[in-house]
Amino acid sequence: MGEILRKKRAVRHPKQGKKQPITWTLIKNQKQLIMMSVPLMLYIILFAYVPIWGWTMAFQDYKPAKAFTDQAWVGLKHFKFLFTDDTFLRVLRNTIAMSVINLILGFVTAIVLALLLNEIKKVLWKRTVQTISYLPHFLSWIIVTGIVATSLASDGIINDMLMKLHIIKEPILWLSEGKYFWGIVGASHVWKEVGWNTIIYLAAIASIDPALYEAAEIDGASRYRKMYHVTLPGIKATIVILLIMSIGHILEAGFEVQYLLGNGLIVDWAETIDIFVLKYGLAQGNYSLATAGGIFKTVVSVTMLLIANWTAKRLGEERLL
């Protein structure tokens, strides 16, 4: 047997005289997939990386009528202004607050709804509830904010219901007092997105081995115990990955809902960084300051994503990188 093995090792195919690098071998074997990905790569480069050249405006007193070589370079002047401007600091506060509210409410409600839908045994009823819950996702924010504004009007359904239940004595002007605005935005996001966000959790739950539920039932676990000890650990990896991605968008509080529901009475509570960039960049023509605000948001988002990913790695959880 040993002699036969030695002879087999001694015989070498003529084309195998020189071992090819594994990388080039993989590229050759997957050239069809690589060619299919070229249009996508070109799209990403054209629309995601080429516009980064425009970040140079943040370090200039940019004037649209002047050539690039004629622009006045001012260094970090606009960044310094951002962190000493009361308006931007207020906008930053609003953005972080609404982002955190949307993050917490979105995660908790989506996970809870997925757990509850998983416990429904009648397939027709389960599909009906799931369909109704994710239909608002397909509505534009124009329609959603119109529904919210109508419901929260002084003669809207919310005030009528609260008055009939004797919770309040007179209508509340919900969209005229800033202290209610953050909660309204959070509730609007939950109503619109909770059903859609449950889809990925339901898919993760479907991949859990049914034998685990059978073993838990044999041990006498109730439905709540099975949810806590089987379902939640089974989708923990999915929760961690989605949480990391959401933390990376911590300054993405939104634009449409704040812009459409906001008004002069609650402007101190409604403006976000996106609205700040729109106001200064287009309305006032201060493109350099608007670009600086956009760069700040991007840098913070990338930094938070890396920190969240590193923290997950240190804790031994799933991670993106």
Side-chain angles (χ1 to χ4, degrees):
M1 178 63 71
E3 185 66 24
I4 295 174
L5 290 176
R6 281 193 295 271
K7 289 182 179 180
K8 286 184 176 180
R9 292 194 189 102
V11 177
R12 177 175 290 181
H13 195 276
K15 294 183 178 180
Q16 295 179 347
K18 185 177 180 180
K19 188 176 181 181
Q20 296 182 355
I22 297 178
T23 302
W24 290 110
T25 303
L26 291 175
I27 292 175
K28 183 179 179 180
N29 293 337
Q30 300 181 6
K31 58 183 179 181
Q32 293 86 357
L33 296 176
I34 294 174
M35 294 300 295
M36 291 173 61
S37 65
V38 168
L40 178 61
M41 294 300 298
L42 293 176
Y43 174 84
I44 294 174
I45 292 172
L46 181 62
F47 292 100
Y49 288 98
V50 173
I52 293 179
W53 176 83
W55 279 12
T56 56
M57 289 189 296
F59 307 96
Q60 304 169 338
D61 275 334
Y62 180 78
K63 304 297 181 184
K66 292 184 178 181
F68 177 78
T69 55
D70 297 331
Q71 301 293 339
W73 293 85
V74 295
L76 299 177
K77 168 187 172 182
H78 299 294
F79 292 95
K80 293 177 181 177
F81 176 80
L82 284 179
F83 298 108
T84 56
D85 181 46
D86 293 337
T87 301
F88 182 77
L89 295 178
R90 185 184 69 246
V91 165
L92 181 60
R93 177 205 65 180
N94 297 342
T95 304
I96 294 176
M98 283 185 275
S99 295
V100 172
I101 290 173
N102 293 340
L103 176 64
I104 295 174
L105 290 180
F107 254 87
V108 173
T109 54
I111 294 172
V112 170
L113 181 59
L115 293 175
L116 295 178
L117 286 174
N118 185 59
E119 295 300 318
I120 297 178
K121 302 304 180 184
K122 294 185 178 180
V123 177
L124 179 61
W125 176 245
K126 178 180 179 179
R127 291 178 178 175
T128 302
V129 174
Q130 187 177 2
T131 301
I132 293 173
S133 65
Y134 74 62
L135 279 178
H137 170 79
F138 299 99
L139 300 177
S140 69
W141 274 112
I142 297 290
I143 298 174
V144 172
T145 52
I147 295 173
V148 172
T150 302
S151 302
L152 296 177
S154 58
D155 57 347
I157 187 174
I158 300 298
N159 279 318
D160 286 346
M161 181 178 64
L162 294 177
M163 291 177 67
K164 288 181 179 180
L165 294 174
H166 302 288
I167 297 176
I168 59 175
K169 295 181 179 179
E170 57 184 15
I172 297 176
L173 302 177
W174 298 99
L175 295 177
S176 298
E177 299 186 36
K179 61 183 180 180
Y180 299 124
F181 188 76
W182 293 350
I184 293 171
V185 171
S188 301
H189 273 278
V190 168
W191 179 75
K192 187 175 186 297
E193 302 293 345
V194 63
W196 185 258
N197 292 337
T198 59
I199 293 176
I200 190 168
Y201 293 115
L202 289 172
I205 291 174
S207 65
I208 298 176
D209 188 355
L212 297 175
Y213 291 102
E214 296 174 1
E217 189 172 355
I218 292 173
D219 290 339
S222 63
R223 300 178 75 175
Y224 295 106
R225 287 289 182 181
K226 285 188 284 185
M227 280 193 292
Y228 185 77
H229 293 288
V230 179
T231 307
L232 281 177
I235 63 174
K236 184 176 69 171
T238 303
I239 294 174
V240 171
I241 292 296
L242 293 178
L243 180 60
I244 293 173
M245 297 175 64
S246 298
I247 291 176
H249 294 83
I250 194 65
L251 293 185
E252 297 287 346
F255 170 79
E256 296 93 342
V257 61
Q258 290 86 354
Y259 187 77
L260 295 171
L261 290 180
N263 55 67
L265 297 175
I266 56 175
V267 64
D268 291 343
W269 300 79
E271 280 193 351
T272 61
I273 293 179
D274 292 329
I275 297 176
F276 177 88
V277 169
L278 174 67
K279 178 188 293 185
Y280 280 90
L282 297 180
Q284 299 184 18
N286 194 341
Y287 300 104
S288 297
L289 185 62
T291 305
I295 291 175
F296 168 76
K297 188 178 77 169
T298 302
V299 171
V300 170
S301 297
V302 173
T303 303
M304 292 299 297
L305 177 64
L306 294 176
I307 292 175
N309 187 79
W310 178 83
T311 304
K313 179 180 179 181
R314 296 288 295 179
L315 296 176
E317 302 293 345
E318 294 291 333
R319 56 190 186 277
L320 290 176
L321 303 175

